[in-house]
Amino acid sequence: MVSSKQDVPTLNRGTLASLLHQEFGISERDASGIVNTYFEDICASLEMGNSVQIKNFGVFSLVSKNIQAQAHETSEKREASDKKSTETSAAKRVKFVPSKKLLDRIAKYVGPGIEG
């Protein structure tokens, strides 16, 4: 288990697999497979439009977000008008909403002001 920032500066798939290997004594190959399968299942669920709720951690979901994309202007368009043309399109983004329990736990270490 990760106990301090000095133990694991950045938590990634490799360090998660290493932690599983150390904590449960499974092979590094099996641990890596478990971690990869876990994240692939999360990605697959999001690709299907489902949200992913991890109890006491948070919820991953897809949200639509309008994006203002500036249209490419040619020199003729610039001469014809000083206004910039824009177009609006919808894009999907992954949103993470941490659970209250996670926010409370983090607040113990970094102080108040943590928002979801």
Side-chain angles (χ1 to χ4, degrees):
M1 180 189 288
V2 177
S3 59
S4 71
K5 189 174 180 179
Q6 291 80 21
D7 291 342
V8 182
T10 301
L11 193 59
N12 56 34
R13 287 181 190 223
T15 54
L16 284 171
S18 180
L19 290 167
L20 282 174
H21 165 69
Q22 293 168 12
E23 186 77 18
F24 298 105
I26 60 177
S27 73
E28 288 185 25
R29 183 178 181 173
D30 287 345
S32 181
I34 290 168
V35 170
N36 287 331
T37 299
Y38 184 74
F39 285 108
E40 285 303 316
D41 288 347
I42 289 172
C43 291
S45 186
L46 290 168
E47 287 170 352
M48 291 186 290
N50 299 324
S51 62
V52 177
Q53 181 177 357
I54 303 170
K55 187 176 180 175
N56 298 326
F57 187 74
V59 178
F60 295 90
S61 60
L62 284 180
V63 294
S64 294
K65 190 172 192 176
N66 286 333
I67 306 243
Q68 293 289 325
Q70 192 164 356
H72 178 68
E73 292 183 345
T74 62
S75 58
E76 298 93 33
K77 286 183 183 178
R78 274 187 241 126
E79 290 173 6
S81 172
D82 288 338
K83 293 183 180 179
K84 294 180 182 178
S85 64
T86 59
E87 58 186 44
T88 303
S89 61
K92 296 284 186 181
R93 298 284 187 250
V94 176
K95 179 180 177 183
F96 175 71
V97 177
S99 70
K100 179 166 178 8
K101 194 167 190 173
L102 177 62
L103 290 174
D104 291 345
R105 183 173 176 177
I106 293 170
K108 287 181 187 177
Y109 297 98
V110 298
I114 298 292
E115 297 179 17

